[in-house]
C-alpha cells in the first residue's frame, strides 16, 4: 500500500475528510471521558520546524503523548540540513527511524520534495502556500457548534494567504461557499482559486463578502516571513479589520474564527475576538483532536 501524505486538504477526498472530522469529534469526547487509547506506543513523530509555532508544535506533541508515543522537535539549523545535507537523504534516513514527519517551512515545494522521498507519512505543518491542519480544526469547530458546513457561507476578510488558500480548498472538499475580501494585490493564489470553481467569489469591499455569512474569518496581516512589509501592509489592510460594525452584516448566529496568533487592534478588534461570537479557543483546542484523527488516518490505525 502506498504511503499517504497530508500536504494540502486535496490529498484526501470529501468522504475521507468528513470521516476524519467525525472521528476528531469522537476522539475529543473519548478524551474528555478519560478514555484515551494508547495506540501508538513505540511510535515516534518528528517535527522539522524552521518557523515559530505554539499551537501546531504543542498539539502534535500532546497528541503523541496521549497516544503513548513520542514526538521529537528539530530545527533545521541544528541538523545537517542546515549544513547542506540533501533533503532527499534526510527524508530517507528519517523514514528508517520514525513513523511520521511534520514539517513547517516557507517553501511548499520543499515539503513536496521531502514527501516524494519519504517512506513514512509527511504532514504539512504550514508553508507559505497552505495550512491544512488548521482547517481540520476549523471545520471540526463549526460542525460541533452549528452542524454540517455544507451549503453554508464563509467570509474571509484580509490577506489572501496560506490559511485563506486552505479555506478555498476546504470550500471545494466540504461544499460550502466562500466570499473572500482582500485589497488589490493581496488576492489568494490563482491556481487554488481556479480549482475551487464557482464556490468562491472575490470582493474588494469586506461588507460585500460578510453579508449573510455564517462564519467570518481572518488572519494576521503580516505572516511569518513578511515582518519587513508590516508597515506597508497595515496601511493596505486598514479597511479590512473585523470589528462589530462588520460583524453586524453577517448572520446573527455567525461565528468569528481566527487561526491565531491574533493581533488585536489590527486584523480584529478586542471586542470581536473576545466577544460572544468568537470561537477561537475552540479552534485552538481542536488542533489537538483533529490532528489525532489525522495521525490515526495516516498511520492506518
Ligand atoms: N494556528 C497555528 O498554526 O498556530 P502556531 O503558529 O502557533 O502553530
Ligand atoms: N498566516 C500565518 C498563519 C500562522 C499560523 C502565517 O503564515 O504566519
Amino acid at each position: 500500500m502506498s504511503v499517504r501524505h497530508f500536504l494540502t486538504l486535496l490529498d484526501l477526498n470529501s468522504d475521507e475528510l468528513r470521516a476524519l472530522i467525525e472521528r476528531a469529534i469522537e476522539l475529543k469526547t473519548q478524551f474528555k471521558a478519560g478514555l484515551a487509547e494508547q495506540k501508538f506506543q513505540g511510535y515516534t513523530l518528528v517535527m522539522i520546524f524552521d518557523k515559530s509555532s505554539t499551537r501546531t508544535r504543542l498539539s502534535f506533541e500532546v497528541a503523541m503523548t496521549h497516544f503513548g508515543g513520542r514526538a521529537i522537535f528539530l530545527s533545521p539549523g541544528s541538523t545537517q540540513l542546515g549544513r547542506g545535507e540533501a533533503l532527499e537523504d534526510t527524508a530517507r534516513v528519517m523514514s528508517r527511524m520514525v513513523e511520521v514527519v511534520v514539517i513547517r517551512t516557507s517553501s511548499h515545494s520543499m515539503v513536496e520534495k521531502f514527501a516524494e522521498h519519504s517512506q513514512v507519512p509527511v504532514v504539512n505543518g504550514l508553508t507559505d502556500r497552505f495550512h491544512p491542519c488548521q482547517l481540520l480544526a476549523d471545520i471540526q469547530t463549526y460542525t460541533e457548534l452549528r452542524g454540517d458546513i455544507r451549503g453554508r457561507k464563509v467570509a474571509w476578510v484580509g490577506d489572501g494567504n496560506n490559511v485563506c488558500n486552505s479555506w478555498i480548498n476546504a470550500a471545494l472538499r466540504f461544499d460550502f461557499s466562500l466570499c473572500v475580501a482582500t485589497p488589490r494585490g493581496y488576492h489568494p493564489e490563482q491556481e487554488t482559486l481556479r480549482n475551487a470553481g464557482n464556490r468562491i467569489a472575490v470582493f474588494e469591499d469586506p461588507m460585500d463578502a460578510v453579508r449573510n455569512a455564517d462564519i467570518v474569518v481572518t488572519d494576521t496581516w503580516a505572516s511569518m516571513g513578511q515582518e519587513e512589509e508590516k508597515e506597508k501592509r497595515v496601511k493596505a489592510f486598514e479597511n479590512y479589520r473585523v470589528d462589530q460594525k462588520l460583524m453586524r452584516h453577517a448572520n446573527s448566529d455567525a461565528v468569528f474564527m481566527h487561526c491565531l496568533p491574533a493581533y488585536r487592534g489590527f486584523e480584529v478588534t478586542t471586542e470581536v475576538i473576545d466577544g460572544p461570537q468568537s470561537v477561537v479557543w475552540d479552534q485552538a483546542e481542536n488542533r489537538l483532536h483533529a490532528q489525532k484523527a489525522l495521525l490515526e488516518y495516516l498511520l492506518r490505525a
Side-chain angles (χ1 to χ4, degrees), residues 51-52 55-56 104 125-128 130-131 134 156 159 161-164 219-227 258-261 263 287:
K51 287 182 163 190
S52 308
R55 281 144 287 266
T56 307
R104 171 171 284 204
L126 179 145
T127 64
D128 283 353
F130 299 104
H131 194 8
Q134 181 65 48
W156 173 276
D159 191 16
N161 62 13
N162 45 6
V163 180
C164 180
D219 186 14
T220 179
W221 291 340
S223 285
M224 289 180 274
Q226 297 171 333
E227 290 76 9
H258 192 309
C259 63
L260 306 178
Y263 301 92
R287 295 294 304 276

Side-chain angles (χ1 to χ4, degrees), residues 151-225:
R152 300 290 183 171
K153 177 181 165 178
V154 180
W156 173 276
V157 180
D159 191 16
N161 62 13
N162 45 6
V163 180
C164 180
N165 288 330
S166 287
W167 270 99
I168 294 171
N169 283 342
L172 178 63
R173 283 293 188 258
F174 290 95
D175 199 14
F176 57 85
S177 71
L178 177 66
C179 293
V180 176
T182 58
R184 210 167 290 167
Y186 295 96
H187 285 177
E189 60 176 40
Q190 283 305 316
E191 189 188 326
T192 302
L193 276 175
R194 259 197 312 275
N195 233 338
N198 59 9
R199 287 177 189 77
I200 318 293
V202 179
F203 298 90
E204 241 177 81
D205 186 339
M207 231 109 83
D208 289 334
V210 167
R211 199 164 293 121
N212 302 324
D214 299 295
I215 302 177
V216 179
V217 55
T218 189
D219 186 14
T220 179
W221 291 340
S223 285
M224 289 180 274

Side-chain angles (χ1 to χ4, degrees), residues 142 145-146 152 212-216 247 250-256 276-279:
Y142 189 79
L145 295 170
R146 297 283 188 273
R152 300 290 183 171
N212 302 324
D214 299 295
I215 302 177
V216 179
M247 286 300 291
N251 286 338
S252 55
D253 67 344
V255 294
F256 169 76
Q277 287 175 287
S278 173
V279 297

